[in-house]
Amino acid sequence: MRALQLREWKSEPELVEVPDPTPGPGQVVVRIGGAGACHSDLHLMDEFEPGSMPWNPPFTLGHENAGWVHALGAGVTGLSVGQPVAVFGAWGCGTCARCRVGIDPYCENPSAAPVPSGGGGLGLDGGMAEFELVPDARHVVPLPEGLDPVQAAPLTDAGLTPYHAIRRSWPKLPPGSTAVVIGVGGLGHVGVQILKATTAARVIAVDTRAEALQLAEECGAERTVTSGPTAAEEIRDATGGRGADVVLDFVGTDTTLALGVAAARTVGDLTIVGIGGGTVGVSFFSVPYEVSIATTYWGSRPELVEVLDLGARGLVRPKTTTFALGDALDAYRQLRDGTLEGRAVIVP
Ligand SMILES: [Zn+2]
Ligand SMILES: [Zn+2]
């Protein structure tokens, strides 16, 4: 089969021919119907030196995947060939306290996982291929009625990641509250939809690009703010001087984090989702009282089931542009240039 592989660090991925996978005991092979192209894949191509990650190329890219069950390994029950499924992308050890509640991204025994702190498309072969080998059937989640694999694929990361970040702050988002979404890209635009679908908060979206702000409005944002020196003031003005109850930073640079602190309300949450690598100083006087600042990474398996339900009911619909597997490099080029609207989904 054909597969888009990262062959070595600091290189462009290549479309190569690899053997079709066969499932061992307890494993599942999924025929891919959609594989999302994620901004973090660009970090994989650009940034890492050999030895800086607990795993190395070559491996097939694509960590947000959905398709149909193609083959079941010995002992797998509860799934049938041809059934539409999503793949939960973080593959932990399966038995530590974090994995037991389904939050494999926070696995506490990564050396016992199929690959330490990774998954399909992150150290092991992912979904930018005709088939993906999933090493444990627990990662294969049946799609609810009304959701096809192209729509479902981005929900496994571009949906699940903002969902996890928002869900933890639900108690701070009653009617009358304000949530700010910084960065309306692949994750941020879905974040706006999730806020609208699951909370009564007013949503303010921030981005540098006019098209992104328009997308945020289409997704239900009540107000948009162009990123810049006056952005924090505009958010304070829009909230009667109080600031935002929850700020979700999908960029994560020095600039956006500084904006997050300047726009946050006392007792608010500032959640850093974007892996821009920026820092922000925290001292008694530098942040509003009782503001909690946290990073989040991906989400849990039960939360994926919830996101898929939102997707199937039409409450959350990532904006997608589809590309053939042979055009996957174009998708990444557009992602890099910032010209892609919504999420690129590769359809092999
Ligand atoms: Zn991702
Ligand atoms: Zn674990």
Side-chain angles (χ1 to χ4, degrees):
M1 65 171 185
R2 293 173 311 147
L4 187 78
Q5 290 207 329
L6 187 68
R7 304 292 298 170
E8 52 189 78
W9 294 123
K10 296 200 168 172
S11 72
E12 289 282 296
E14 290 171 38
L15 198 58
V16 295
E17 199 65 38
V18 297
D20 287 4
T22 49
Q27 301 181 334
V28 178
V29 170
V30 172
R31 180 161 66 86
I32 295 296
C38 182
H39 207 270
S40 61
D41 293 332
L42 299 179
H43 291 271
L44 289 178
M45 296 171 202
D46 295 349
E47 270 166 34
F48 298 113
E49 301 286 346
S52 65
M53 293 294 281
W55 29 264
N56 286 298
F59 56 87
T60 302
L61 289 171
H63 57 264
E64 51 175 48
N65 307 307
W68 301 270
V69 172
H70 178 69
L72 299 170
V76 178
T77 55
L79 292 168
S80 53
V81 171
Q83 184 176 8
V85 292
V87 179
F88 181 70
W91 299 341
C93 75
T95 53
C96 74
R98 294 289 179 258
C99 286
R100 281 191 192 283
V101 295
I103 187 136
D104 290 46
Y106 300 166
C107 175
E108 290 173 317
N109 190 12
S111 62
V115 63
S117 308
L122 299 165
L124 289 176
D125 289 337
M128 295 220 176
E130 288 158 66
F131 301 101
E132 181 184 20
L133 176 65
V134 181
D136 192 307
R138 80 178 192 282
H139 302 307
V140 176
V141 179
L143 292 190
E145 193 82 31
L147 197 59
D148 70 43
V150 171
Q151 295 163 333
L155 293 173
T156 66
D157 178 13
L160 178 56
T161 300
Y163 184 75
H164 176 78
I166 290 163
R167 197 185 199 289
R168 64 187 284 277
S169 293
W170 274 353
K172 295 186 179 180
L173 294 169
S177 64
T178 300
V180 167
V181 170
I182 303 176
V184 190
L187 273 68
H189 86 282
V190 188
V192 173
Q193 294 181 16
I194 291 168
L195 283 162
K196 298 303 294 179
T198 68
T199 80
R202 201 155 53 110
V203 179
I204 300 177
V206 182
D207 205 293
T208 51
R209 302 161 297 157
E211 323 80 80
L213 294 178
Q214 199 192 322
L215 176 59
E217 273 174 17
E218 286 165 26
C219 292
E222 276 90 349
R223 186 173 174 135
T224 58
V225 170
T226 303
S227 192
T230 62
E233 206 181 304
E234 282 181 57
I235 292 166
R236 289 221 166 259
D237 284 349
T239 54
R242 293 186 295 272
D245 298 82
V246 173
V247 179
L248 300 146
D249 185 351
F250 290 100
V251 182
T253 59
D254 289 352
T255 311
T256 58
L257 290 172
L259 171 61
V261 165
R265 184 181 185 179
T266 53
V267 201
D269 284 346
L270 168 57
T271 304
I272 306 165
V273 185
I275 56 174
T279 56
V280 65
V282 175
S283 72
F284 196 90
F285 300 105
S286 72
V287 298
Y289 294 127
E290 229 175 297
V291 161
S292 302
I293 301 179
T295 58
T296 59
Y297 176 55
W298 223 332
S300 73
R301 200 174 298 102
E303 288 168 339
L304 177 57
V305 174
E306 294 171 6
V307 172
L308 294 175
D309 181 70
L310 291 172
R313 292 160 62 203
L315 296 170
V316 171
R317 278 284 151 98
K319 190 170 177 109
T320 56
T321 309
T322 56
F323 293 82
L325 185 55
D327 298 329
L329 286 176
D330 279 341
Y332 283 117
R333 218 164 283 134
Q334 291 184 27
L335 187 60
R336 200 185 288 277
D337 295 343
T339 55
L340 199 69
E341 218 190 45
R343 198 65 156 180
V345 178
I346 311 304
V347 180

